[in-house]
Every structure is written in structure tokens, then in C-alpha cells.
Amino acid sequence: MTGVPPGDSCGASGILSAREGLSMPEAARRLAVNGPNRLPVRERSPVPLLLLREMVHFFALLLWAAAGLALLAGMPQLAVAIVVVVLLNGTFAFVQEYRADHAGRQLQELIPAEVTVRRDGRRMLVAAADLVDGDVVLLEAGDRICADLELAEVHALAVNESALTGESVPVRPSERDTAFAGTFVVEGQAEAVVTATGARTRLAAIATLTRAAMRPPSPLARRLGKVIQVVAGIALAVGTGFFMLTLLLGMAPADGFLLALGVTVALVPEGLLPTVTLSLARAARVMAGRKALVRHLEAVETLGAATFICSDKTGTLTRNEMTVVEIWTPAGPLDLADPASAAEIMRSAVLCSTGRLVRADGGYKGVGDPMEVALHALALHAGAREEATVTRRYPFDPGRRRSSVVADGRLHLKGAPDAVLPLSGEVPGAARALEEMSERGLRVLAVAQRDAPRAGTAEEVECGLTLIALVGLEDPPRDGVTEAIAICRGAGIKLAMITGDHPGTARAIAEKVGLLGPDPLVLTGRELPEDDAHLGALLDRDGVVIARVTPEDKLRIARSLRGRGHVVAMTGDGVNDGPALREADIGVAMGASGTDVAREAADVVLLDDHFATIVTAVELGRATYANIRRFLTYHLTDNVAELTPFLVWAVSGGTIPLALSVLQVLALDIGTDLLPALALGAEPAGPRTMRGPARTGALLDRRLLRRVFGVLGPAQAIVEMAAFAAVLALGGWTFGAAPSSALLAAASGTAFAAVVLGQLANAFACRSETRWVGRMPWLSNRLLPWAVVIEAVMLLVFLGFPPLAALLGGDLPPPAGWAMAALAIPAVVGADAVHKALRTDRCVGEVTPS
């Protein structure tokens, strides 16, 4: 093997020899031609553009239009208030997502700062960015590989490729094999020649594939879009109808247009946008406290809508650390509850290993091959003697598939069973034991000994062995995974394991944690149908295991399941997971062990890498969906009460005065209503949250609309208009006459108070869709009592502070007005209780406070 890339020649090209590497001038020339060895970084949108996007989505545009109409209608105060709402909400959403997104942008950590090369015949350190094609790279245990390399010479080399392939066990490459950028050396040494750098590496190709995968709109974005379209359509239709009605009543077109604009603005729920954003942000903070970092706010609710979770195996369902779980000897299996019985076996295994468990940062960490680290851990626990005089060492190589040492007059050997058993003669029961351990998904090593042989090659001395043990190892499941899987099943969520590992190992883990379904299906990537429709139909079942998958396979799996209507959550930690994480509805990356490519592509990052954390996040997501319905009901009920005075005025032909002004409507939307709505967004998940499938329908369904427009809204509106009319009548007003300004202000203040007090009761009624207020635990949502107290104080401020009262057009009600307005509380509670008692379509999966 030479160090000369195809097309180059020695001498004039600047290549000295395979051993001497490139000359410095030639390396500089190639660097100038091919550019630095850096991964392509996705260009970030300018910060002003990111901020602008939060100001121009559909609902924000609706509010901008409302502000413009308010300005045209001669209500600059209303216009300014709406603009402030849009700006504050957009800024808040931008800050939340920018901070989370910034935390995941560290792709360059996959490339080391310096690398050891040989140039001009000398060993030297160069910056990884300066590596070029044809460089001779010198690799040792612990090195992260910084370019695609062709191996020229290997010595017991083991490379961990899990970040690229998902395979948890290090590979043992041979000469002329390729080692890829982003992987790292766990054992041995090697010399290799660079074949690709920067954007031409396999790592860069996967990162490019990740960025090419388009992130689909979230379910929440689609649902809110429909809500906004309905609200906007109703507002425009009603505004247009009012304008036509004013013309029929003989009102001047200019005055009619201004009134119609006011009605249109009044029907836009200005408080809905900040309520949604703040509710999602609070849920994101709660998730972060429970080890789930949300990078995109809408991902909070999307997790709750998940119907299919595709989980990686290594590090997600398992601990990503090998453990010795079984030892078979010719005399029978050992009881590992007494580790001392394995001391001699472990001593032999560790003598011919290089992986070790070492002290670090007040604890321990593994260095080298994870299987050898597991052997050393058990040896330490067993009290095995590690001192030995090693006279000869025969390192592992892929051809022999074993390693050995001569120490203290004995040859100690370990390796793959099929490479050791033939050299050990007939061992009764060994073949059967090996078969049983392999069927259970264990990785098996054979340990053997013999008297110290004469000097010779490995093949000459590794014969005439005595088998002393078969050692079974596994990457054990994480604690709590089995319970988490059971919870997912109870929630109607289908599960699939998608891994780059061996199908036998994947099946064994799936069986152990209870993931494999009643109709087991275990496939490899090569067995997947080429047609996406057929692929989706095949995988659309619970408990599927797909092994030996490629990044393209995972991308197709996510796409095909989404094509069948599933809301897909895809977990992963490796570079190979990036494209699928972005394609899925919700990408879930590992924070502790995951790569930056995966975190870059994900919507949610699990800070503890635990599958059970996903279940917690799903529960919070479902609670968030229920909470959005709660405060949507709350806001829309208020809109019914706000619209009623305009309808009464129109139907009466203007003979009944307007009970509320447009500015009073705005004070209700973003003043008194906002805090109770936010408190409803903090309603905790209850015991029924994870029972049954997720509610993935429209936010505005018939049940919600019936409750708003048929029960809660009319209850408030009736009391509101009755109180308004009563105060007018008590003040001497007669039908058709124009009331005095003082009387109208008092009556309008009474109507305003009735709506606020009705909303106070409505806040408690909206906590549940099935249980009336009296059956709800008062302290399970500690924010709501404080919110309604503040709402009551704001009512007094809006009506009792003269400058503000004059601006809004209301005044403090008389005692009779307060009494009438207070009837809104029992009216709303009573109507809600009767409605819930008569309901026959109670929602099985509703979130109810515990």
C-alpha cells in the first residue's frame, strides 16, 4: 500500500513516500485547491429576519390589519395597544426559540482541533482544518477521526462508528478499509491516508441530507391556522354585515364604515396569540425541568399528538454500556452474585485486553473497547489479581478474531467463539451454551488458556487450548423503559425500534423491554419495500423492529408513516439520525450522548437520554393540547359576550344603545382576560391524560363550539344585556330615547362588570369539559385563584380610575348594577353544570386535574 492517491505520482507531485507523507509545499497547494477540512455549516438567517418572521405569521398579520383598521376608524389608542401586543408576543417567541436553537449549534465539535500527521518524513501536529487529501494520518486510541481515511497499516485497531451507523460494538477494520470522519479510535494504532475532507466526507453528506429534509408544519400550527381562518372569516363577515345594516338604517356611510371597523376589530381575539405563546413557553420550561429541552415551542404540543414513536436502541432503550451478565464454564454456569468465582476467568480475559475502567472526575469512565471495559469492571469487582509479567503479546486482528498474551508461564486468550472453540478440542456443552446465549441476543466471548508455548507466530502458539469460559455480555435496558413502553401502549401510541445493530441483538432487547408486539415483525434495512406506500402499510403496526438501517432508510420510514396520517416522533443520537429527525413531525435527540448533528435537527433534546423522559414529555404535550382548548373556550366565550351588544344594537335599529365600546372590548381581551387564560394554560396533567389515543382533531370542534355558543356565551350575554337594560331603566331611560352620558357610562360599566364577573366564573368552568366547578380540587391549579383575584382588581381599576374609565367609556355601576352584574357568576356556573350533566359524549381522554 502506498500513500499516493489515484492520479498522483512521486517526486514532482510533492509526495515523498508512503512513510514520509506529503511535503509541506504540496500540502499547502492542496489546501489552497480543496479548501479547509471543515464541515459545511448551515447559513443562519440574520437575526432581524428571524425576528420579522415572528411578526408576520398569519395571526400576527390579522392583528396588524386590525391595528390598521382601528387607526382608520379614528381609534389610535386601540391601534397602539394591538401593535404593542404583536411586538411583545413576537419578541418573546423569538427570544425563546433563538436561545434554544443557539444551544444546539455546535457541529464543529465532531472535528478535533489538531491531528497527528507525517509530512516531510517527520511526525507533527497540524490543525484539523489544514488536513488535505493524501496526508498520512497517525491514529491512536482516543483519537477522533477528522477526515475519511484509507487504512494503510493497522495494529489491533478498533473504531467506534455508532455515531454514523448506530452499531454499538466497535468495528475491527483491516488494511485498505475506510475509516470515516466523526468516528473515533477505541483501541490500537493505525496509519492511514486521507481520501476526503470537509464537504466531501460521508459525515458531511449525512449532514447535508439532514438539512435537505424539510420540517413539516406542526399539528398545532395547522390547527391554530384553521382557528384563525374561522375567526378572521367571522370577523370580516360580521363587519361587512354591520356596514350594510348601517346603510339600511340610514346612517352616513363614513359613520357606518367606522362602526363596522370597530366591530371587526372587536371580534379579533387579541389575547389569544400571547396566551398560546406564553402557555407553550411555560410548558417548555416545565419540560426542561424534567430533562426535555424544547428547541421549537410548537413541539410542546406536537409531542402530545404523537401516534407513532420510532426509537433508537443504543443509548435510548439501553444504557450504551456493556455488562457481563452470564459466564458458562465446562463445569457449569457461574453465579455472578458471587463475583469472586469469576476472578481467574476475568484475569485471563483482562490480561489480553487493553480496555480499562479508570478513575476520572471523582468517578469512573471506560477507556477503550466497551466489551473489554465490561470485562475489567467485573474483574475489579471479583478482586482478580492484575499483576503479571507479560513476555509476549499477540494483538487482535480481524483475520484471527482473537488476541492473546503470554504471562506468568501461561498463554491467556480471548476472542470470538467460532475462532476459539475449534482450537480447544471437543468441549461438552459448549456449542449448546453458545447457541442459547446468542439466541438471547448476548455478545459472547470465549476465554481459553494453555501452558506457555515456545516463541512463534500467533498461529503457531494459539493452538492446543483449554476453554475455560464463555462470557455473555449485553448492553442492558435502561431502568424504567419497560414501564414507559407500557404507558405508551395504554396511550394508544405505536412503537418501533430502529437501529443499526444486529437484528438478533435488536430482537432480544425488544423482547426484554416489552416492545415486540403480539404479531412480531423483525426486519433489516435491506428487506424494506422500495415503494413508500407499501413500506408504510408494512410498518403501520405496534412493536416493529428494524435493524441494520441506513440514514436513507430512517428518512423513508418517517416519511411513509407520516403519509399514513401518523404524527411521528423519531428518536436518535447519531449523525445517521439527523435526516429522519428533521423529516419526522417531532425529532427527539439525545443530549448527553448524542451528536451535535442530531441535536441540530431535533425539536426536543432529552438531557438524560432516557426513553422514559419521552413519556413524560408526551404527557405534558397532551396536557398542553387540553389547556389550549381550555383557554380557547375561555376567549371565545368572551367574544360572544363582546359581540352581543353590537347585535342588539343592530337588531333594534340603533334604538338600544351600545352596551360596550370597542376600547372596552380590547380591555377585556388583553386586560382582564389574559391572566386567567394563562392560568388555564398551566392546568396540570391528570391521571387520565395517558389513557387512550391522543385527541388529534381540530381545536374548534362541534363540542367546543356548542359549549361556547350554546351554553357559556349566552349565559354571560343574557346577564350582561339584562344588567345593562336594568340600569338604564332605573335611570329613567325609555326605549328609543337617548340616555344621558352619565347614565350610559354607568350602564356600560355594569355590562362590562357582568362580562368580567362572568369570565371569572368561566375560568373555573373551563378547567374541565366533564366535571362541574364544585367537583374540581381548588388548589390543583395554584395560579388560577391569584389570576381571578387580579382580574377582579383590574375590573375596579378600569371602572374606578377616572382617566382610564373616561378613555374606555364606562363608570362604576350603582349598587343595583353590581347586584345584577354579580348574577353572571351563578348563571355561568349553573349553565355549565346543567350542560355537563346532560352530556352523553364525555371525552375518554380528557385531561382532568388530579
Side-chain angles (χ1 to χ4, degrees):
M1 163 110 194
T2 69
V4 185
D8 282 356
S9 58
C10 298
S13 69
I15 302 175
L16 304 179
S17 73
R19 290 297 180 185
E20 293 179 343
L22 297 176
S23 66
M24 294 299 290
E26 176 61 15
R29 185 188 70 80
R30 295 189 182 195
L31 183 63
V33 171
N34 295 325
N37 177 37
R38 294 195 181 98
L39 290 175
V41 178
R42 176 168 60 92
E43 291 187 9
R44 298 185 62 182
S45 300
V47 170
L49 181 59
L50 294 174
L51 180 59
L52 181 63
R53 287 175 183 168
E54 299 294 341
M55 307 291 182
V56 295
H57 52 75
F58 186 79
F59 199 9
L61 291 176
L62 181 62
L63 292 181
W64 283 116
L69 293 177
L71 195 61
L72 289 175
M75 294 178 283
Q77 303 95 331
L78 177 61
V80 170
I82 294 175
V83 168
V84 170
V85 168
V86 177
L87 292 178
L88 288 177
N89 182 79
T91 302
F92 184 81
F94 162 76
V95 170
Q96 290 289 317
E97 297 207 4
Y98 180 83
R99 289 173 60 187
D101 189 58
H102 183 71
R105 294 178 176 274
Q106 298 179 15
L107 273 173
Q108 292 302 318
E109 287 185 6
L110 287 173
I111 298 297
E114 292 184 319
V115 61
T116 303
V117 300
R118 185 179 291 117
R119 290 181 180 174
D120 287 329
R122 294 183 293 109
R123 180 187 180 105
M124 64 179 67
L125 284 173
V126 300
D130 294 339
L131 208 61
V132 297
D133 289 7
D135 258 326
V136 174
V137 178
L138 309 179
L139 299 173
E140 295 181 349
D143 288 347
R144 187 176 287 276
I145 296 173
C146 57
D148 287 354
L149 312 172
E150 182 175 308
L151 298 171
E153 183 178 335
V154 298
H155 302 281
L157 184 69
V159 179
N160 187 323
E161 295 184 344
S162 61
L164 288 178
T165 66
E167 169 64 65
S168 59
V169 176
V171 298
R172 297 279 185 172
S174 304
E175 293 181 2
R176 305 189 69 82
D177 285 345
T178 300
F180 296 102
T183 63
F184 64 92
V185 179
V186 296
E187 181 184 344
Q189 298 176 326
E191 289 191 12
V193 178
V194 176
T195 58
T197 61
R200 295 177 293 116
T201 61
R202 183 182 178 189
L203 174 64
I206 296 176
T208 300
L209 185 62
T210 299
R211 290 190 294 272
M214 299 299 294
R215 191 183 304 279
S218 72
L220 178 61
R222 295 192 293 267
R223 292 171 187 151
L224 280 178
K226 291 180 180 178
V227 171
I228 293 165
Q229 289 172 7
V230 171
V231 170
I234 292 175
L236 291 174
V238 172
T240 302
F242 262 79
F243 178 63
M244 300 301 295
L245 182 61
T246 59
L247 295 181
L248 292 176
L249 294 175
M251 185 178 290
D255 293 337
F257 180 67
L258 293 179
L259 180 61
L261 288 181
V263 172
T264 303
V265 171
L267 286 175
V268 176
E270 291 86 359
L272 181 60
L273 184 60
T275 304
V276 171
T277 302
L278 292 171
S279 177
L280 292 176
R282 182 190 178 279
R285 287 197 300 272
V286 173
M287 284 189 179
R290 301 185 186 181
K291 306 298 183 182
L293 173 66
V294 176
R295 299 184 65 240
H296 306 285
L297 287 182
E298 289 178 355
V300 171
E301 190 275 339
T302 307
L303 258 176
T307 60
F308 208 116
I309 297 178
C310 300
S311 176
D312 192 19
K313 177 185 73 69
T314 304
T316 309
L317 298 173
T318 67
R319 299 177 187 171
N320 196 21
E321 54 185 41
M322 300 300 290
T323 302
V324 177
V325 295
E326 185 173 343
I327 297 179
W328 178 90
T329 71
L334 295 185
D335 181 5
L336 293 184
D338 177 20
S341 63
E344 183 59 30
I345 296 170
M346 289 298 100
R347 181 173 185 269
S348 285
V350 169
L351 283 175
C352 43
S353 302
T354 57
R356 291 291 186 270
L357 189 67
V358 300
R359 288 187 178 274
D361 300 327
Y364 291 89
K365 72 172 184 178
V367 176
D369 188 319
M371 286 196 292
E372 294 187 343
V373 172
L375 296 174
H376 187 226
L378 182 56
L380 292 175
H381 193 45
R385 182 170 56 90
E386 294 190 61
E387 298 81 7
T389 302
V390 177
T391 56
R392 273 173 285 162
R393 186 178 294 276
Y394 300 94
F396 181 94
D397 74 59
R400 291 168 34 247
R401 300 178 64 218
R402 56 186 182 263
S403 60
S404 61
V405 298
V406 176
D408 298 339
R410 299 282 290 174
L411 180 131
H412 304 267
L413 178 145
K414 72 167 175 57
D418 58 355
V420 176
L421 292 181
L423 305 177
S424 305
E426 185 67 27
V427 182
R432 178 62 179 166
L434 173 61
E435 180 181 359
E436 291 178 351
M437 294 167 77
S438 299
E439 286 177 352
R440 295 198 302 275
L442 300 183
R443 300 187 182 276
V444 185
L445 291 175
V447 182
Q449 295 180 354
R450 63 164 290 185
D451 291 334
R454 295 180 180 178
T457 65
E459 288 75 9
E460 292 171 342
V461 303
E462 293 175 346
C463 58
L465 302 173
T466 298
L467 180 72
I468 63 171
L470 295 175
V471 181
L473 303 95
E474 72 170 359
D475 180 6
R478 284 181 174 272
D479 295 336
V481 166
T482 301
E483 293 80 1
I485 288 174
I487 292 173
C488 286
R489 291 230 162 89
I493 300 172
K494 295 181 179 180
L495 299 168
M497 176 193 291
I498 302 178
T499 178
D501 223 332
H502 188 278
T505 304
R507 181 183 187 119
I509 291 295
E511 289 178 340
K512 186 165 292 188
V513 300
L515 184 141
L516 207 60
D519 182 18
L521 178 64
V522 181
L523 299 168
T524 64
R526 292 183 178 181
E527 296 171 332
L528 297 178
E530 293 185 3
D531 181 73
D532 280 359
H534 292 163
L535 176 62
L538 177 65
L539 300 182
D540 193 359
R541 66 176 77 186
D542 188 27
V544 182
V545 175
I546 309 110
R548 298 299 193 201
V549 294
T550 65
E552 294 78 11
D553 291 333
K554 297 192 75 169
L555 191 65
R556 289 186 57 227
I557 290 168
R559 185 181 299 128
S560 65
L561 290 174
R562 288 185 58 241
R564 291 182 65 84
H566 282 291
V567 177
V568 180
M570 178 75 71
T571 75
D573 57 1
V575 175
N576 61 317
D577 296 320
L581 292 178
R582 187 170 288 274
E583 174 67 28
D585 293 286
I586 183 81
V588 183
M590 304 300 111
S593 63
T595 62
D596 291 316
V597 172
R599 290 193 288 268
E600 169 84 9
D603 302 284
V604 176
V605 178
L606 303 183
L607 302 180
D608 60 357
D609 292 6
H610 202 311
F611 180 83
T613 303
I614 299 175
V615 179
T616 301
V618 169
E619 182 181 47
L620 287 170
R622 288 192 175 191
T624 299
Y625 171 83
N627 289 344
I628 291 175
R629 284 179 59 90
R630 287 187 175 101
F631 59 67
L632 184 59
T633 302
Y634 181 80
H635 277 299
L636 292 180
T637 299
D638 195 32
N639 273 67
V640 173
E642 292 166 354
L643 178 60
T644 299
F646 294 92
L647 289 175
V648 170
W649 174 86
V651 170
S652 69
T655 56
I656 297 179
L658 273 173
L660 294 177
S661 70
V662 174
L663 286 178
Q664 282 176 315
V665 169
L666 183 67
L668 290 169
D669 280 344
I670 60 177
T672 59
D673 276 358
L674 192 56
L675 288 180
L678 290 175
L680 287 173
E683 194 71 29
R688 297 169 61 187
T689 304
M690 295 296 286
R691 296 178 190 171
R695 295 175 63 177
T696 56
L699 285 171
L700 279 180
D701 58 14
R702 282 184 296 180
R703 180 168 50 236
L704 187 148
L705 293 174
R706 185 166 59 244
R707 190 176 179 209
V708 167
F709 293 101
V711 181
L712 299 174
Q716 276 194 34
I718 290 171
V719 175
E720 168 196 20
M721 295 310 300
F724 176 71
V727 171
L728 286 178
L730 291 173
W733 173 79
T734 58
F735 188 79
S740 67
S741 58
L743 178 60
L744 181 59
S748 181
T750 301
F752 184 85
V755 175
V756 173
L757 294 175
Q759 283 294 88
L760 184 151
N762 188 33
F764 290 96
C766 288
R767 293 184 65 198
S768 173
E769 293 185 18
T770 59
R771 296 198 289 175
W772 82 287
V773 172
R775 290 186 58 200
M776 303 293 292
W778 288 84
L779 297 180
S780 60
N781 184 343
R782 297 181 181 275
L783 295 180
L784 189 56
W786 289 105
V788 296
V789 167
I790 295 174
E791 181 181 19
V793 171
M794 293 182 70
L795 167 63
L796 297 176
V797 171
F798 283 144
L799 296 180
F801 184 57
L804 194 55
L807 176 65
L808 297 179
D811 203 350
L812 285 170
W818 279 116
M820 289 291 295
L823 292 177
I825 295 176
V828 169
V829 171
D832 180 66
V834 171
H835 171 67
K836 289 172 179 175
L838 295 176
R839 274 188 55 185
T840 58
D841 58 337
R842 297 189 175 217
C843 176
V844 174
E846 184 202 358
V847 179
T848 55
S850 55

